[in-house]
Amino acid sequence: MFKRILVANRGEIAVRIIRTCREMGIESVAIYSEADANALHIVLANFAEELPGATPAETYLNIPLILSICKKFKVDAVHPGYGFLSENPAFAQACSDNGITFIGPSPQAILDLGNKVKAKEIARSANIPLIPGSDGPVDEAQAVELAREIGFPIIFKAAAGGGGRGMRVVRKMDDLARLLQSCKNEARGAFGDDSIFIERYVEQPKHIEFQVMGDRHGNVIHLGERDCSIQRRHQKLIEEAPSPALTPELREEMGSVAVRLAKAAGYYNAGTVEFLLDKQGRYYFMEMNTRLQVEHPVTELVSFVDLVREQIRVAAGMPLSVKQEDVQLRGWAIEARINAEDPLKGFVPALGRINRYIPPAGGGVRLDSCAYEGFTIPSHYDSMVAKLICYGRDREDAILKMRRALSEYIITGVRTTIPFHRYVFEHPVFTGGDFHTGFIEEHFSDESVANMVRSPGEHANIEHIALAAALEYFLERTALIKSNQAADREAGRRWSIVGRLGATSYLPR
Ligand code: MV4
């Protein structure tokens, strides 16, 4: 087994990986940028090295610098986390060229599955259901012909696109030429490549992804699915396992399809196979992510498998610790992403220092976070500061735990998505479980939020009332805490009174 691992990441995921390293008796080396000088992962690791600079290019993306630190600390392996270098085949190759194990799949698998055309080719040859469409880039004449063949609506997607950019939905032939041109223009500007695919457009799909895990002895298993349909502008907000939309039969079928794809790609380590699920219960392969994902904890809670531990074990050449027939999915887990963003201003990143921090805890609550009282959130990186993950015997139980945990969670000094989540977890469409990827846009549009803030009394629908209540709750508590702290300071008291909507509790400073 490895003796020492470098964690080539920051934030909550660096903390998450370092925790499992310690449990396994493996030393960890943290790296951090100048902007992250006060980060929590530095404190938790056995060693930490500052990288000069604050931009990602100078620091967490700096391959030569990271390799030199691997050598300085004589690490056996590197865990890349998610984002940054996690899906960079050149980094995976450079690690292995330097005698360091990259904790992830092979550079070839990262390369193949990162290429949309190649990934589809692998899926097609493994007989995986694909959305009807073109095999590669199309010109206008081919697009017209294919649109006739597969029928409207269709979607144009930039071959080099990602994150929901460079897409156009076309509902009739009259719009095709114009939308193809605008899609091409956007793709050229954004990605420097204007090749465009065509697919049949799946209306109101669900985003269902399967966790797979492979070892270096040819074994691949799946650990069930995650439903990631609750997202806003292609940023996931809530994920859960299992999906309220899957039957045990569909789970088994899609799971074996995911395993078949991973095997066809020569895959090992942790991976995620993404599908779209349509209203008729038909599923289509979208893409495979070759990294540990942000939302992996929901799978860990329902499968009782520590995915980071499993990643480290298989990277060290050990076989998978569980066989498919031993995987038992039990209970329900839901994750809410806590971002330092202002939900009332279109989710713009909220900057500042966390003044008061009271995290939720108790039964069924897991908090993966890099936040603490006094922490100033650096503006250089993404705004996610915590993932609140709740576990219960069934979906209703998990939702009750989530509501309770969200009601306890206090972060002041910066706006966060906590009040927004309080309101989503009350929404009947969410609690009913029958939602699709358009849920947030349909029920929580920016305009309706802005109107509600301007004149809360005029809006009678449940969304507005619930958000108004959540907002008021947030502001009231922030104001109460501030005035209590001021009063305590003036009186020289060591205890701070934190008012909570009728209840008053006493908390040590
Ligand atoms: C689609 C689709 C419907 N039909 N493709 C969005 C991001 C990119 N990875 C693919 N996306 C979609 N592709 C066809 N043929 C709908 C989406 C889509 C979506 C997919 C997953 C999760 C959220 C989404 C939100 C809007 C659109």
Side-chain angles (χ1 to χ4, degrees):
M1 185 39 70
F2 306 129
K3 289 196 162 47
R4 194 177 285 175
I5 291 174
L6 183 137
V7 180
N9 215 300
R10 61 175 302 282
E12 68 83 22
I13 195 62
V15 169
R16 159 73 190 90
I17 295 161
I18 290 164
R19 283 180 171 146
T20 284
C21 288
R22 196 171 285 273
E23 287 171 14
M24 295 176 77
I26 299 169
E27 289 181 332
S28 54
V29 179
I31 55 173
Y32 61 100
S33 70
E34 286 166 15
D36 273 333
N38 295 313
L40 189 59
H41 71 288
I42 301 171
V43 182
L44 299 181
N46 296 87
F47 306 94
E49 180 84 359
E50 182 172 315
L51 312 183
T55 67
E58 292 169 298
T59 57
Y60 302 107
L61 291 172
N62 189 335
I63 296 177
L65 181 58
I66 291 171
L67 289 173
S68 75
I69 295 161
C70 287
K71 290 195 177 138
K72 175 174 171 183
F73 286 90
K74 299 187 165 57
V75 305
D76 306 302
V78 172
H79 197 305
Y82 52 70
F84 295 121
L85 296 171
S86 61
E87 293 179 284
N88 183 322
F91 180 60
Q93 188 61 52
C95 286
S96 111
D97 293 347
N98 284 275
I100 299 155
T101 303
F102 176 80
I103 301 175
S106 67
Q108 191 62 48
I110 300 174
L111 194 66
D112 289 348
L113 294 164
N115 177 307
K116 281 192 185 139
V117 179
K118 183 79 187 168
K120 277 195 175 194
E121 252 171 46
I122 295 170
R124 192 173 295 109
S125 64
N127 215 5
I128 309 288
L130 288 169
I131 303 171
S134 61
D135 296 339
V138 291
D139 61 25
E140 193 185 314
Q142 292 166 316
V144 168
E145 195 186 313
L146 268 167
R148 284 218 176 84
E149 200 180 301
I150 60 188
F152 288 98
I154 54 130
I155 183 169
F156 289 129
K157 288 185 183 177
R165 292 212 299 165
M167 304 197 305
R168 293 289 183 284
V169 177
V170 188
R171 298 191 174 275
K172 51 185 197 296
M173 197 59 89
D174 287 353
D175 297 337
L176 185 142
R178 179 177 55 82
L179 290 171
L180 178 60
Q181 200 50 55
S182 82
C183 194
K184 268 187 183 293
N185 293 344
E186 183 181 324
R188 200 181 308 110
F191 318 112
D193 174 358
D194 68 357
S195 357
I196 306 292
F197 281 100
I198 177 170
E199 283 176 1
R200 204 186 70 231
Y201 181 61
V202 181
E203 306 257 20
Q204 306 190 331
K206 283 178 78 69
H207 173 131
I208 306 291
E209 57 182 38
F210 273 74
Q211 179 69 53
V212 297
M213 180 64 85
D215 63 21
R216 302 200 61 171
H217 306 275
N219 306 302
V220 183
I221 61 167
H222 76 86
L223 295 163
E225 80 283 8
R226 296 182 285 260
D227 190 322
C228 306
S229 302
I230 307 289
Q231 49 82 48
R232 180 184 177 276
R233 302 197 179 164
H234 308 286
Q235 296 291 330
K236 293 168 186 165
L237 285 168
I238 296 169
E239 306 95 346
E240 62 184 296
S243 165
L246 261 59
T247 60
E249 294 74 35
L250 187 53
R251 175 168 307 113
E252 198 169 307
E253 183 180 329
M254 292 176 74
S256 58
V257 164
V259 168
R260 199 161 76 230
L261 178 78
K263 284 185 171 165
Y267 202 84
Y268 51 77
N269 217 284
T272 297
V273 182
E274 287 187 4
F275 297 98
L276 285 187
L277 181 68
D278 73 12
K279 289 252 183 261
Q280 287 79 40
R282 290 173 299 206
Y283 60 91
Y284 308 94
F285 168 71
M286 293 268 289
E287 56 186 81
M288 182 165 180
N289 301 318
T290 57
R291 60 169 189 277
L292 182 72
Q293 301 222 166
V294 173
E295 58 272 24
H296 76 277
V298 295
T299 299
E300 296 189 317
L301 291 178
V302 298
S303 69
F304 308 90
V305 173
D306 179 330
L307 288 167
V308 173
R309 176 174 176 268
E310 213 57 31
Q311 283 191 292
I312 293 171
R313 286 169 53 96
V314 301
M318 296 171 75
L320 288 172
S321 70
V322 275
K323 296 184 170 56
Q324 189 68 61
E325 56 267 30
D326 300 332
V327 175
Q328 284 204 39
L329 304 173
R330 281 193 53 175
W332 211 284
I334 310 187
E335 171 177 285
R337 295 192 188 193
I338 312 301
N339 300 338
E341 292 170 358
D342 189 345
L344 301 181
K345 290 187 184 138
F347 292 78
V348 291
L351 303 177
R353 177 180 178 275
I354 295 177
N355 261 333
R356 238 5 188 136
Y357 188 71
I358 303 176
V365 175
R366 168 174 170 180
L367 191 62
D368 280 22
S369 172
C370 62
Y372 59 87
E373 195 157 289
F375 178 56
T376 298
I377 297 157
S379 57
H380 307 69
Y381 312 104
D382 86 316
S383 57
M384 196 176 71
V385 294
K387 303 183 307 204
L388 174 57
I389 311 113
C390 290
Y391 180 75
R393 81 182 75 82
D394 52 25
R395 189 164 190 269
E396 189 186 344
D397 193 29
I399 290 172
L400 292 177
K401 290 218 161 47
M402 181 63 85
R403 289 179 183 162
R404 187 269 291 170
L406 286 167
S407 83
E408 288 177 9
Y409 207 169
I410 296 176
I411 298 181
T412 73
V414 278
R415 287 286 172 86
T416 72
T417 48
I418 293 169
F420 184 78
H421 282 300
R422 287 192 185 124
Y423 143 53
V424 175
F425 281 94
E426 298 290 341
H427 199 284
V429 174
F430 176 77
T431 56
D434 186 20
F435 49 79
H436 55 80
T437 50
F439 172 81
I440 296 291
E441 277 81 359
E442 250 174 49
H443 299 283
F444 298 79
S445 72
D446 285 355
E447 307 87 85
S448 72
V449 172
N451 283 335
M452 182 279 301
V453 175
R454 261 181 256 119
S455 46
E458 287 172 23
H459 298 272
N461 77 48
I462 174 159
E463 282 90 354
H464 296 153
I465 292 166
L467 185 52
L471 174 70
E472 205 170 336
Y473 186 54
F474 172 82
L475 294 176
E476 191 171 319
R477 280 168 65 169
T478 309
L480 258 171
I481 288 166
K482 279 189 180 156
S483 70
N484 286 336
Q485 283 176 320
D488 286 343
R489 240 192 328 274
E490 212 165 309
R493 279 197 297 269
R494 282 183 56 246
W495 295 80
S496 182
I497 302 163
V498 180
R500 295 202 35 190
L501 288 185
T504 299
S505 53
Y506 294 81
L507 292 153
R509 277 241 195 103

PDB file of all heavy atoms in Angstrom, residues 64 90 92 146 186 191 503:
ATOM      1  N   PRO A  64       4.377  20.729 -14.016  1.00  0.00           N
ATOM      2  CA  PRO A  64       5.786  20.572 -13.594  1.00  0.00           C
ATOM      3  C   PRO A  64       5.993  20.878 -12.110  1.00  0.00           C
ATOM      4  O   PRO A  64       6.723  20.165 -11.417  1.00  0.00           O
ATOM      5  CB  PRO A  64       6.542  21.579 -14.472  1.00  0.00           C
ATOM      6  CG  PRO A  64       5.630  21.897 -15.610  1.00  0.00           C
ATOM      7  CD  PRO A  64       4.226  21.680 -15.127  1.00  0.00           C
ATOM      8  N   ALA A  90      -2.630  14.191 -20.085  1.00  0.00           N
ATOM      9  CA  ALA A  90      -1.190  14.510 -20.064  1.00  0.00           C
ATOM     10  C   ALA A  90      -0.652  14.448 -18.630  1.00  0.00           C
ATOM     11  O   ALA A  90       0.478  13.993 -18.397  1.00  0.00           O
ATOM     12  CB  ALA A  90      -0.940  15.892 -20.658  1.00  0.00           C
ATOM     13  N   ALA A  92      -1.975  12.569 -16.136  1.00  0.00           N
ATOM     14  CA  ALA A  92      -1.966  11.150 -15.750  1.00  0.00           C
ATOM     15  C   ALA A  92      -0.725  10.464 -16.327  1.00  0.00           C
ATOM     16  O   ALA A  92      -0.057   9.682 -15.642  1.00  0.00           O
ATOM     17  CB  ALA A  92      -3.245  10.468 -16.227  1.00  0.00           C
ATOM     18  N   LEU A 146     -30.966  14.695 -41.988  1.00  0.00           N
ATOM     19  CA  LEU A 146     -31.110  13.957 -40.729  1.00  0.00           C
ATOM     20  C   LEU A 146     -32.343  14.401 -39.942  1.00  0.00           C
ATOM     21  O   LEU A 146     -33.023  13.589 -39.319  1.00  0.00           O
ATOM     22  CB  LEU A 146     -29.854  14.127 -39.870  1.00  0.00           C
ATOM     23  CG  LEU A 146     -28.799  13.036 -40.072  1.00  0.00           C
ATOM     24  CD1 LEU A 146     -27.481  13.454 -39.443  1.00  0.00           C
ATOM     25  CD2 LEU A 146     -29.273  11.712 -39.463  1.00  0.00           C
ATOM     26  N   GLU A 186     -21.258  30.551 -32.075  1.00  0.00           N
ATOM     27  CA  GLU A 186     -20.972  30.471 -30.637  1.00  0.00           C
ATOM     28  C   GLU A 186     -19.839  29.482 -30.369  1.00  0.00           C
ATOM     29  O   GLU A 186     -18.936  29.745 -29.577  1.00  0.00           O
ATOM     30  CB  GLU A 186     -22.230  30.056 -29.869  1.00  0.00           C
ATOM     31  CG  GLU A 186     -22.012  30.039 -28.359  1.00  0.00           C
ATOM     32  CD  GLU A 186     -23.253  29.600 -27.579  1.00  0.00           C
ATOM     33  OE1 GLU A 186     -24.372  29.937 -27.992  1.00  0.00           O
ATOM     34  OE2 GLU A 186     -23.073  28.922 -26.549  1.00  0.00           O
ATOM     35  N   PHE A 191     -14.983  27.825 -28.287  1.00  0.00           N
ATOM     36  CA  PHE A 191     -14.094  26.655 -28.241  1.00  0.00           C
ATOM     37  C   PHE A 191     -13.067  26.632 -29.376  1.00  0.00           C
ATOM     38  O   PHE A 191     -12.249  25.721 -29.453  1.00  0.00           O
ATOM     39  CB  PHE A 191     -14.910  25.356 -28.289  1.00  0.00           C
ATOM     40  CG  PHE A 191     -16.148  25.374 -27.431  1.00  0.00           C
ATOM     41  CD1 PHE A 191     -17.415  25.368 -28.001  1.00  0.00           C
ATOM     42  CD2 PHE A 191     -16.042  25.423 -26.040  1.00  0.00           C
ATOM     43  CE1 PHE A 191     -18.558  25.405 -27.206  1.00  0.00           C
ATOM     44  CE2 PHE A 191     -17.185  25.455 -25.247  1.00  0.00           C
ATOM     45  CZ  PHE A 191     -18.439  25.454 -25.823  1.00  0.00           C
ATOM     46  N   ALA A 503     -37.404  30.940  19.606  1.00  0.00           N
ATOM     47  CA  ALA A 503     -36.583  30.219  20.580  1.00  0.00           C
ATOM     48  C   ALA A 503     -35.307  31.006  20.831  1.00  0.00           C
ATOM     49  O   ALA A 503     -34.838  31.731  19.969  1.00  0.00           O
ATOM     50  CB  ALA A 503     -36.238  28.845  20.053  1.00  0.00           C
TER      51      ALA A 503
END
